[in-house]
Amino acid sequence: MNVLILINAAPGYKEYYYQLGEELRLKGCNIYYAVDSMRSRYLTPLPDLDDSEKTHYFDKYFKENYLRDEFESFSDEYWGDVFYSDFDRFLTHNYNLDKTSEYWICLKNCLSGFFEEIFNNYNIDCVLYENISNSFAYMAYKSCVKHDKLYVGLMGSRLPGHFEIQNSIIDKELDKLSLLKKEPISGEEIEWFTAYKNKINSIEPDYMKNNGLDNVSLSRLLKFEKIYQLYKLAIIGFKYNSYYDFQFGSPWKAIFRGLKVNFFRYYRTKLSNKYYLDNEVVKEKSSKERFYVYPIHYHPESSTSVLAPEYTNEYTNIINIANNLPFGTYLYVKDHKSAKGVQDLSFYKKISVLPAVRLVNYDYNIKELIGRSQGVITVNSTAGYEALLLGKPVYLLGRVFYENFANVKKLTNFKSLRTELLSFDVTHDDVMYDFLSYYRYCYKGIIDIKGMRGVENIANQVFSHIKKMVG
């Protein structure tokens, strides 16, 4: 079995997926690596991977084939599907915006050619990476579709101690959930669901516990590992041509970009506090008012840039939802602890003055808020999933794995809220069947990128999945 593993320079990813590859190699798989950039070679050196003849660097291929024009037609592709997941990041943090459209056309052609050559030369059976979260992964996935091969995307689950294996952007996952929902329910499963539902107010997904995104202190920049990382970025600019490092750009500019992003998040977090309602006021008002909850997302993130690219502008989302609520009904906009300070101060100011909006601090318990609400209006957040367990309806703008669960209403546009909030009949059927389908869909284990725990278990589950799907 020939497995192509995608590698990027995100912290810990290279080491983790290399160890995963080694575990799969011990099971008889032939492992090949596709690395987005030579940057990885210098930031996180791993000679056994870096110097292997089975490792292929995309930026090297991009440079060698930049002016090539005999690639296959790509008329069946859309700009947003290929690039928006990356551009959402570029636009949010204001970097890598100096390339022409011709550069991106050449890039798309080269991504197609790069993966075509690897698939054809090594007869690849499956691609292994995280969920389809950027253009590098997307084009690898498209090669899987073209060649009728398997994409295996690993992702943390909403269930503690579990993870997901995704084979598509979303549609195949919905089909799996639909089939799993039809299976007979065991007594053990009922016990699990009852315990999970009863504890939902205190449960937090594994990927939320230690992601570090809520830490905006400037002191963390003074830690040795951070300073050493900046030093490595400063010197690798002399070692490779960053023009072809399409997801990152100049390492030198990245140093100032990273410092700027961290400084402004710290600054905005401090100054934005005056725009939130005091937590005691939120508690008092929410006990008396009729309201819906809108949870702000962290940006950029594949959950929105891939599954809901039309709804990545939080200001647009909030003002359009608020404008379509009945007079006297409020929208409680709950900031995300991982998203604090991401938006400009003007965002917090403009949202806070909207007469229909109550801006709620990131440290307020959203589940307590949902419990008092009329329901949740969301793009596709985990808060919507949790609201269903709390017996509340969910009005969904984007796409997400729980979109076909009971008591979820998929909105066609913002204005449809005017009728849907009044006419959507919430069933009081037990949502147990939907949640058990998700429980069956997930695998036991934790994807611990930083701590490297449980890699052997993840590899065993991945190998079994591949054998089941490929044969």
Side-chain angles (χ1 to χ4, degrees):
M1 189 179 299
N2 300 321
V3 179
L4 176 66
I5 298 180
L6 308 187
I7 298 288
N8 64 31
Y13 267 63
K14 186 176 183 180
E15 297 91 336
Y16 185 85
Y17 278 90
Y18 175 71
Q19 289 301 322
L20 204 53
E22 285 296 285
E23 292 289 342
L24 292 173
R25 185 180 61 80
L26 294 175
K27 299 179 184 300
C29 296
N30 298 312
I31 305 298
Y32 302 89
Y33 294 97
V35 186
D36 65 338
S37 167
M38 292 285 285
R39 170 170 40 98
S40 166
R41 187 185 187 100
Y42 304 116
L43 279 181
T44 52
L46 197 57
D48 288 342
L49 186 154
D50 296 335
D51 301 326
S52 171
E53 61 182 12
K54 294 184 176 183
T55 298
H56 303 271
Y57 292 93
F58 172 70
D59 60 338
K60 181 180 178 182
Y61 180 94
F62 189 19
K63 181 179 179 181
E64 293 171 351
N65 293 275
Y66 186 74
L67 298 177
R68 182 176 161 192
D69 59 5
E70 66 271 21
F71 291 98
E72 291 185 22
S73 169
F74 54 96
S75 59
D76 63 333
E77 299 290 352
Y78 295 87
W79 290 92
D81 292 348
V82 178
F83 292 129
Y84 187 67
S85 53
D86 287 330
F87 267 83
D88 191 26
R89 187 168 61 255
F90 302 156
L91 294 166
T92 299
H93 296 310
N94 192 30
Y95 76 100
N96 208 25
L97 299 173
D98 56 348
K99 310 292 198 307
T100 65
S101 61
E102 286 72 22
Y103 174 94
W104 299 105
I105 291 172
C106 291
L107 170 66
K108 193 277 167 192
N109 288 338
C110 286
L111 282 169
S112 297
F114 177 70
F115 286 115
E116 280 298 290
E117 286 192 16
I118 293 176
F119 269 70
N120 291 331
N121 290 342
Y122 301 109
N123 192 25
I124 297 299
D125 294 300
C126 78
V127 170
L128 175 61
Y129 187 55
E130 62 182 11
N131 60 306
I132 301 163
S133 56
N134 54 56
S135 54
F136 193 59
Y138 176 79
M139 293 309 298
Y141 168 69
K142 293 298 288 186
S143 288
C144 288
V145 172
K146 178 180 178 180
H147 293 273
D148 195 25
K149 301 300 181 180
L150 183 67
Y151 185 92
V152 177
L154 305 183
M155 181 179 174
S157 168
R158 273 70 167 181
L159 305 178
H162 291 74
F163 69 100
E164 299 177 20
I165 298 180
Q166 301 181 355
N167 303 128
S168 68
I169 293 175
I170 188 169
D171 289 324
K172 288 183 180 179
E173 315 318 307
L174 296 178
D175 291 341
K176 292 177 198 173
L177 288 166
S178 178
L179 290 173
L180 290 168
K181 185 177 177 180
K182 297 176 182 178
E183 294 182 1
I185 296 175
S186 69
E188 184 179 338
E189 288 178 322
I190 294 174
E191 289 181 10
W192 170 84
F193 174 76
T194 302
Y196 180 64
K197 182 179 180 181
N198 289 340
K199 294 179 181 178
I200 191 60
N201 281 325
S202 61
I203 289 176
E204 187 176 41
D206 296 323
Y207 63 84
M208 285 288 297
K209 292 177 182 176
N210 300 302
N211 63 17
L213 293 174
D214 59 330
N215 184 2
V216 298
S217 67
L218 295 179
S219 60
R220 69 193 183 94
L221 299 178
L222 301 177
K223 293 182 178 179
F224 172 77
E225 58 267 26
K226 289 289 184 181
I227 295 173
Y228 184 54
Q229 191 77 358
L230 293 176
Y231 165 75
K232 287 193 290 185
L233 277 175
I235 64 174
I236 67 170
F238 298 102
K239 296 183 178 181
Y240 83 118
N241 190 339
S242 62
Y243 181 77
Y244 301 97
D245 187 358
F246 75 97
Q247 290 184 318
F248 195 75
S250 167
W252 295 317
K253 290 182 180 179
I255 295 173
F256 297 102
R257 179 177 78 241
L259 293 172
K260 181 180 177 182
V261 167
N262 280 277
F263 173 77
F264 276 105
R265 277 202 70 187
Y266 172 81
Y267 167 78
R268 290 166 183 160
T269 299
K270 292 290 185 183
L271 295 186
S272 63
N273 279 324
K274 64 182 178 181
Y275 298 116
Y276 298 110
L277 282 180
D278 182 81
N279 285 350
E280 287 302 315
V281 174
V282 172
K283 190 171 184 178
E284 179 186 356
K285 286 184 176 295
S286 64
S287 65
K288 300 175 182 178
E289 295 178 337
R290 178 183 175 86
F291 69 94
Y292 292 86
V293 175
Y294 176 82
I296 291 179
H297 277 264
Y298 174 80
H299 296 280
E301 190 178 57
S302 63
S303 63
T304 49
S305 61
V306 174
L307 292 178
E310 305 92 334
Y311 300 106
T312 53
N313 187 314
E314 292 289 356
Y315 177 73
T316 299
N317 293 346
I318 292 165
I319 197 168
N320 277 289
I321 293 170
N323 285 346
N324 288 291
L325 292 181
F327 193 84
T329 298
Y330 295 90
L331 186 67
Y332 280 53
V333 175
K334 168 65 171 62
D335 205 357
H336 194 296
K337 70 175 184 178
S338 297
K340 60 185 179 184
V342 168
Q343 305 284 349
D344 289 333
L345 284 176
S346 60
F347 166 84
Y348 300 100
K349 181 178 180 179
K350 288 187 289 187
I351 293 303
S352 67
V353 299
L354 293 174
V357 169
R358 310 293 197 203
L359 184 57
V360 181
N361 201 298
Y362 47 81
D363 64 4
Y364 197 91
N365 187 330
I366 191 170
K367 294 168 190 173
E368 178 184 310
L369 201 60
I370 291 170
R372 300 194 191 104
S373 75
Q374 300 299 308
V376 170
I377 303 170
T378 182
V379 175
N380 56 12
S381 75
T382 298
Y385 161 88
E386 294 168 336
L388 298 174
L389 280 177
L390 295 169
K392 301 296 180 177
V394 174
Y395 300 86
L396 190 67
L397 290 162
R399 303 204 66 190
V400 69
F401 74 93
Y402 62 80
E403 66 181 55
N404 293 329
F405 283 20
N407 296 334
V408 174
K409 181 63 182 181
K410 290 182 275 190
L411 300 171
T412 55
N413 51 52
F414 291 111
K415 204 156 192 175
S416 65
L417 279 166
R418 297 193 178 200
T419 54
E420 298 297 354
L421 293 182
L422 298 175
S423 63
F424 181 41
D425 293 325
V426 177
T427 68
H428 294 284
D429 296 341
D430 200 332
V431 294
M432 177 175 68
Y433 299 97
D434 292 308
F435 280 85
L436 284 180
S437 71
Y438 183 61
Y439 175 68
R440 294 163 177 168
Y441 170 83
C442 296
Y443 296 77
K444 288 186 178 180
I446 299 175
I447 299 175
D448 183 12
I449 300 291
K450 294 181 180 179
M452 300 288 288
R453 296 172 301 160
V455 177
E456 183 179 358
N457 171 58
I458 301 296
N460 289 338
Q461 307 257 31
V462 168
F463 183 72
S464 296
H465 178 82
I466 295 173
K467 290 286 287 183
K468 177 182 177 182
M469 299 295 288
V470 175

